[in-house]
Amino acid sequence: MSSLDSVFAAYVLGWAVFFVFYLTVARRTATLDKEVERLKNTLNRGK
Amino acid sequence: MGKRALAGAVVVFLMGAAAYASFYIAPEEKTMHVLQRIFYFHAATAWAGMTALFIGFVANLLYVWRREGKWDALGVACAEVGLACFTVVLITGPIWAKPAWGIYWTWDARLTSTFILWLLYVSYLLLRTLIEEPDRRALLSALFGIFAFIDVPIVFGAIRWWRTQHPAPVIMGGPGSGLDPTMSKVFFFSVFALHCLVVFLINERYRLEKLRAKFEIVRREAEAI
């Protein structure tokens, strides 16, 4: 691997880690958001 | 465009600008040439990771003192973001090390203490999954987080106290250390961009933890009916 390839690999993999981390947080937030809404609707129907 | 989307767009722009500056504005270093450009991402990520872990450490102390859920939420948000940063550091470091030293890894003081730091924060997150009761989970993980943070000054000081494989510090390294003025500007701009990214990610992760608390309240209400 040339030096330039190493530099590109470092930047691309580093960015990928942050991007994947952001995606997992966004996905967990969206799932939980839906679950809260579902529970709220269930509660409202029960009242 | 919402505030969070705007903040995300600004962070992406800053990260792109930092990468551009690292490749096209910073002058080429005399011994490592283009390879040295990894420094602007690798070292800046380590600094931002240490900042995240420091905020988490303060949040853990505040939780132990005040027992308020918001400090537990901030503590775990910072631990996850700090862990992501040190994952990047542990990936970019060996990529730089192989062409520079001829090896991907060696058990020198800086590398070993960084790897231990990574393991400590993985353990912190695993610990949280093992305790069901929320107050007990928050207290034990805050205490473990305070203990884990002890390694951060060791990581910082390792290349100052012991001379091993990892290069000596070029910033805050005492007499003889230092960077070319343009390199220095690019490095501190990268540090700024990575800190903005860390603040953005902590905020997103903190939001998730607050939503979890809200979910628990609604779930208990639903169970009570």
Side-chain angles (χ1 to χ4, degrees):
Chain A
M1 194 156 67
S2 76
S3 294
L4 193 60
D5 289 343
S6 298
V7 179
F8 273 116
Y11 274 82
V12 168
L13 287 173
W15 273 65
V17 169
F18 286 125
F19 186 65
V20 168
F21 175 70
Y22 172 74
L23 282 185
T24 62
V25 173
R27 193 177 51 82
R28 284 183 282 173
T29 306
T31 308
L32 208 53
D33 232 346
K34 275 184 199 161
E35 199 62 21
V36 170
E37 281 309 306
R38 190 186 62 78
L39 276 175
K40 271 184 181 172
N41 289 338
T42 311
L43 274 174
N44 288 339
R45 277 200 299 269
K47 279 175 188 174
Chain B
M1 189 187 265
K3 274 184 187 173
R4 283 173 47 237
L6 183 65
V10 169
V11 165
V12 169
F13 172 76
L14 286 172
M15 291 289 289
Y20 176 83
S22 308
F23 279 90
Y24 299 107
I25 296 175
E28 194 154 288
E29 202 256 354
K30 282 174 190 165
T31 51
M32 283 187 278
H33 306 287
V34 71
L35 189 62
Q36 185 268 348
R37 295 183 194 278
I38 296 178
F39 163 77
Y40 303 103
F41 189 46
H42 174 76
T45 306
W47 281 32
M50 283 188 195
T51 303
L53 297 182
F54 177 71
I55 299 168
F57 168 69
V58 173
N60 288 330
L61 284 175
L62 285 167
Y63 181 81
V64 173
W65 183 31
R66 298 234 171 127
R67 306 292 166 99
E68 291 168 354
K70 63 181 176 181
W71 301 122
D72 176 55
L74 185 60
V76 67
C78 291
E80 273 196 19
V81 174
L83 185 65
C85 287
F86 278 94
T87 303
V88 172
V89 169
L90 287 172
I91 290 170
T92 54
I95 292 173
W96 188 2
K98 180 63 178 167
W101 304 342
I103 46 169
Y104 282 111
W105 186 265
T106 180
W107 295 101
D108 94 324
R110 168 54 77 89
L111 276 68
T112 307
S113 57
T114 306
F115 183 59
I116 290 170
L117 185 72
W118 189 84
L119 288 178
L120 281 167
Y121 280 91
V122 168
S123 309
Y124 169 93
L125 296 176
L126 281 177
L127 176 71
R128 293 185 68 88
T129 65
L130 297 175
I131 306 167
E132 283 283 317
E133 206 270 303
D135 291 341
R136 191 173 152 77
R137 178 178 59 224
L139 179 62
L140 286 178
S141 57
L143 291 171
F144 188 84
I146 292 165
F147 164 73
F149 186 78
I150 294 170
D151 195 29
V152 172
I154 297 172
V155 170
F156 182 79
I159 49 171
R160 290 163 176 83
W161 304 329
W162 303 292
R163 285 299 326 118
T164 50
Q165 183 76 36
H166 194 283
V170 288
I171 293 156
M172 291 188 279
S177 67
L179 274 176
D180 164 272
T182 310
M183 284 181 173
S184 187
K185 279 177 196 155
V186 171
F187 175 69
F188 282 106
F189 180 69
S190 300
V191 168
F192 172 71
L194 261 303
H195 274 78
C196 289
L197 174 68
V198 157
V199 169
F200 173 74
L201 291 176
I202 289 173
N203 186 52
E204 290 295 302
R205 183 61 186 80
Y206 180 76
R207 202 172 145 264
L208 169 62
E209 212 56 31
K210 296 298 279 182
L211 194 62
R212 243 177 219 163
K214 190 175 165 187
F215 173 75
E216 275 305 310
I217 293 166
V218 181
R219 190 178 63 85
R220 276 186 213 136
E221 276 178 34
E223 277 175 2
I225 293 171

